[in-house]
């Protein structure tokens, strides 16, 4: 019985020391230029399975960091990664301020607009097929009521007969099956 007490006392003493060696790290992540907080920035302690993501106030907390020197890597989309080295236990419990620089390869803003106007087909940015009135009249005289003949001659459109008895047809545009065509 006495031997069990010593083992239990040894485990409690050793376990208590292990629990005390765990520290937490709190940081506020913000933009270096504007000072705005960065919501969703991530921080990972290298070599440990410990990390966190900043909240709507830009604050993140990483728990269970053991004693010693540790490198914490901060990252956020569109910003250069930051590396911060800390010694645990820290001298103060203050919140670290991490200022991240915008990455040099920033994408420019793209604006897409559309209007209804008269433009020539040659000046449009996308490929457009145009069936003129003359061609419509010519095809209507050759075989009235058969639009398949007209569409089959347009580039990118394929008509496929689906029923020989009822003369139903399916339209395939740019290789897509007829059920995707309205």
């Amino acid at each position: 019985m006495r031997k069990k007490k010593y083992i239990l006392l040894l485990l409690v003493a050793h376990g208590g020391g292990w629990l005390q060696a765990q520290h937490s790290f709190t940081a506020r992540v913000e933009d270096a230029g504007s000072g705005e907080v960065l919501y969703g920035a991530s921080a990972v302690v290298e070599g440990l399975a410990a990390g966190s993501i900043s909240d709507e106030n830009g604050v993140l907390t990483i728990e269970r960091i053991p004693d010693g020197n540790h490198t914490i890597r901060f990252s956020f989309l569109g910003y250069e990664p930051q590396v911060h080295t800390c010694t645990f236990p820290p001298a103060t419990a203050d919140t670290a301020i991490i200022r991240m620089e915008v990455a040099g390869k920033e994408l420019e803003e793209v604006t897409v607009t559309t209007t209804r106007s008269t433009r020539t087909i040659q000046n449009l940015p996308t490929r457009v097929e145009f069936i003129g009135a003359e061609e419509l009249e010519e095809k209507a005289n050759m075989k009235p009521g058969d639009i398949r003949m007209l569409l089959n001659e347009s580039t990118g459109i394929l008509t496929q007969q689906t029923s020989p008895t009822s003369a139903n047809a399916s339209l395939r545009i740019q290789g897509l099956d007829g059920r995707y065509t309205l």
Side-chain angles (χ1 to χ4, degrees), residues 38-81:
L38 298 178
Y39 171 65
S42 63
V44 176
V45 180
E46 292 182 353
L48 297 177
S52 183
I53 295 177
S54 64
D55 62 12
E56 63 273 357
N57 299 319
V59 177
L60 58 84
T61 302
I62 303 173
E63 302 288 336
R64 296 188 297 258
I65 302 174
D67 288 344
N69 290 332
H70 295 284
T71 302
I72 303 172
R73 182 173 298 276
F74 294 87
S75 60
F76 189 70
L77 186 65
Y79 287 80
E80 294 290 334

Side-chain angles (χ1 to χ4, degrees), residues 5-180:
K5 284 183 182 179
Y6 284 120
I7 292 173
L8 182 61
L9 182 62
L10 183 64
L11 286 174
V12 168
H14 181 65
W18 178 73
L19 289 174
Q20 289 177 345
Q22 302 291 312
H23 305 284
S24 65
F25 174 79
T26 303
R28 181 170 188 237
V29 185
E30 56 187 44
D31 182 285
S34 67
E36 285 186 44
V37 297
L38 298 178
Y39 171 65
S42 63
V44 176
V45 180
E46 292 182 353
L48 297 177
S52 183
I53 295 177
S54 64
D55 62 12
E56 63 273 357
N57 299 319
V59 177
L60 58 84
T61 302
I62 303 173
E63 302 288 336
R64 296 188 297 258
I65 302 174
D67 288 344
N69 290 332
H70 295 284
T71 302
I72 303 172
R73 182 173 298 276
F74 294 87
S75 60
F76 189 70
L77 186 65
Y79 287 80
E80 294 290 334
Q82 280 267 341
V83 177
H84 189 74
T85 305
C86 297
T87 303
F88 292 92
T92 63
D94 294 339
T95 300
I97 304 295
I98 306 299
R99 292 182 177 90
M100 298 187 75
E101 298 282 339
V102 176
K105 297 178 182 176
E106 186 176 340
L107 297 176
E108 293 183 24
E109 182 177 325
V110 176
T111 304
V112 178
T113 59
T114 182
T115 59
R116 285 185 156 188
S117 63
T118 55
R119 292 193 212 169
T120 60
I121 293 175
Q122 293 82 10
N123 295 334
L124 292 177
T126 58
R127 189 168 157 265
V128 175
E129 284 291 324
F130 176 75
I131 302 171
E134 290 178 12
E135 194 172 350
L136 284 172
E137 286 178 29
E138 181 184 323
K139 299 298 182 194
N141 289 335
M142 292 172 65
K143 204 168 184 183
D146 190 5
I147 195 164
R148 284 184 302 161
M149 180 198 233
L150 180 66
L151 292 175
N152 208 21
E153 292 179 2
S154 297
T155 308
I157 299 176
L158 175 69
T159 58
Q160 183 177 12
Q161 191 169 359
T162 56
S163 174
T165 56
S166 64
N168 284 343
S170 170
L171 292 176
R172 296 176 75 115
I173 298 177
Q174 299 293 336
L176 290 173
D177 195 8
R179 65 176 172 232
Y180 298 108

